């Protein structure tokens, strides 16, 4: 790559850091300043070559202190201490979760009823209800700010198949565990926080997007999957029957797929970083087309490494 192009990309990286300030301001307004500063200082928001423990760094070249800025942005209210638990006997095939600030866990459990539990929160901001065959969960804090958000756990009977699941969060971790019976259609959109899936199945379409956070998927099955992260790493292991796409603006992509590589047309690319295919370093733009392949694996990282391997 030409030196001029690398310089332009580095300038773009600096502008991205400036943009991070706007993300921080938005998250503070959403009520998550305390949780954000804790993640900044613990290193949970390190993406690829970017590090956020005591400032913002890219390979030591750029330094902007943001964690103190967030903590001093406004006074933080105490973490909530209230708890609420609900059980539902209705037939529920759709799940909609829309929260300002909360760590969300959805898992299969040894239960006959669908259960929802709020911990370490404020019940006045919390709303859970059934609308027809749809369970709706919300945690709306308005313009308040807190040292830490609550936990919301949804426990689904282990043999339940959900037709649709939509999860939208401003700030917080999203975790899906052992949903082996499957989800027909899944959409996850997170402004700030990591997204994790372990031992899950999505039978039709799946879209996962993180503005600032990592996407970590292990031992899961997808018919097709589209993943994107503005600043974050994508780490994926599992099986995809159809098309797979992953886009990262700044971070890295590491994918380990089950199956035969000959079943897919492969496109791997990065502007600044390395590309590896089956453990071997390739050109920054690397394509492999197989005559009988019907599906595509397309992985692109604007700034960071891309790696694809097959199990």
């Amino acid at each position: 790559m030409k030196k001029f192009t690398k310089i332009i990309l580095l300038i773009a990286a600096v502008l991205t850091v400036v943009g991070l300030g706007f993300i921080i301001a938005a998250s503070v307004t959403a009520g998550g300043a305390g949780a954000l500063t804790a993640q900044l200082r613990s290193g949970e928001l390190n993406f690829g070559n970017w590090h956020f423990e005591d400032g913002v760094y890219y390979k030591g070249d750029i330094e902007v202190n943001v964690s103190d800025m967030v903590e001093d942005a406004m006074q933080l209210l105490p973490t909530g201490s209230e708890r609420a638990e609900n059980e539902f006997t209705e037939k529920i095939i759709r799940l909609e979760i829309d929260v300002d600030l909360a760590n969300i866990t959805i898992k299969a459990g040894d239960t006959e009823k669908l259960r929802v539990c709020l911990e370490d929160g404020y019940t006045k901001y919390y709303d859970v209800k059934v609308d027809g065959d749809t369970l709706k969960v919300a945690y709306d804090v308005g313009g308040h700010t807190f040292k830490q958000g609550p936990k919301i756990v949804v426990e689904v009977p282990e043999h339940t198949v959900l037709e649709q699941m939509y999860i939208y969060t401003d700030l917080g971790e999203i975790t899906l565990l052992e949903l082996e019976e499957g989800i027909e259609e899944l959409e996850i959109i997170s402004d700030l926080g990591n997204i994790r899936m372990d031992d899950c199945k999505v039978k039709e379409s799946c879209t996962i997007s993180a503005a600032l956070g990592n996407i970590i998927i292990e031992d899961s099955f997808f018919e097709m999957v589209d993943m994107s992260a503005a600043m974050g790493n994508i780490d994926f292991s599992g099986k995809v029957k159809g098309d797979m796409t992953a886009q990262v603006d700044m971070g890295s992509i590491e994918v380990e797929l089950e199956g035969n590589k000959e079943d897919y047309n492969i496109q791997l690319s990065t502007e600044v970083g390395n590309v590896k295919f089956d453990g071997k370093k390739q050109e920054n733009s690397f394509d492999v087309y197989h005559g009988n392949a019907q599906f595509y694996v397309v992985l692109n990282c604007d700034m960071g490494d891309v790696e694809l391997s097959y199990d």
Side-chain angles (χ1 to χ4, degrees), residues 75-79 122 125 144-148:
Q75 286 188 322
L76 305 180
L77 297 173
T79 300
Y122 293 91
Y125 303 125
H144 299 295
T145 60
F146 301 93
K147 292 184 178 179
Q148 188 169 325

Side-chain angles (χ1 to χ4, degrees), residues 133-147:
D133 56 7
T134 303
L135 176 68
K136 297 183 177 182
V137 181
Y139 195 81
D140 184 358
V141 299
H144 299 295
T145 60
F146 301 93
K147 292 184 178 179

Side-chain angles (χ1 to χ4, degrees), residues 88-90 109-115 155-158 160:
F88 300 94
T89 57
E90 297 92 337
D110 186 14
T111 175
E112 295 182 358
K113 301 176 183 179
L114 192 149
R115 297 175 179 170
E155 193 171 5
V156 180
E158 58 185 355
T160 300

Side-chain angles (χ1 to χ4, degrees), residues 16-191:
T16 302
V17 172
V18 174
L20 179 63
F22 292 101
I23 295 175
I24 289 166
S27 67
V28 167
T29 321
L36 177 59
T37 53
Q39 288 183 317
L40 287 167
R41 295 190 185 283
S42 68
E44 290 182 28
L45 294 181
N46 290 345
F47 310 129
N49 292 320
W50 287 87
H51 301 275
F52 294 84
E53 285 91 340
D54 293 309
V56 177
Y57 306 90
Y58 182 81
K59 292 186 177 178
D61 296 332
I62 303 169
E63 180 176 343
V64 179
N65 197 324
V66 293
S67 53
D68 289 337
M69 181 181 75
V70 174
E71 194 160 308
D72 296 338
M74 59 179 65
Q75 286 188 322
L76 305 180
L77 297 173
T79 300
S81 59
E82 298 172 354
R83 186 178 189 276
E85 185 170 345
N86 303 87
E87 291 187 342
F88 300 94
T89 57
E90 297 92 337
K91 183 179 180 181
I92 294 170
I93 58 175
R94 294 179 178 86
L95 181 60
E96 295 181 5
I97 297 178
D98 190 348
V99 302
D100 291 340
L101 166 66
N103 292 322
I104 305 293
T105 299
I106 304 171
K107 62 182 181 179
D110 186 14
T111 175
E112 295 182 358
K113 301 176 183 179
L114 192 149
R115 297 175 179 170
V116 185
C117 182
L118 169 76
E119 296 181 353
D120 302 326
Y122 293 91
T123 54
K124 63 182 178 181
Y125 303 125
Y126 176 62
D127 184 45
V128 56
K129 63 185 178 183
V130 174
D131 182 4
D133 56 7
T134 303
L135 176 68
K136 297 183 177 182
V137 181
Y139 195 81
D140 184 358
V141 299
H144 299 295
T145 60
F146 301 93
K147 292 184 178 179
Q148 188 169 325
K151 301 174 186 176
I152 298 176
V153 178
V154 180
E155 193 171 5
V156 180
E158 58 185 355
H159 297 300
T160 300
V161 177
L162 294 169
E163 289 188 5
Q164 294 173 325
M165 183 185 296
Y166 303 124
I167 306 173
Y168 309 108
T169 65
D170 290 337
L171 175 59
E173 297 255 338
I174 300 172
T175 304
L176 275 59
L177 297 174
E178 299 179 351
L179 298 171
E180 298 177 353
E181 292 299 319
I183 307 158
E184 299 290 343
E185 180 180 322
L186 174 65
E187 181 175 79
I188 301 175
I189 298 177
S190 169
D191 287 343

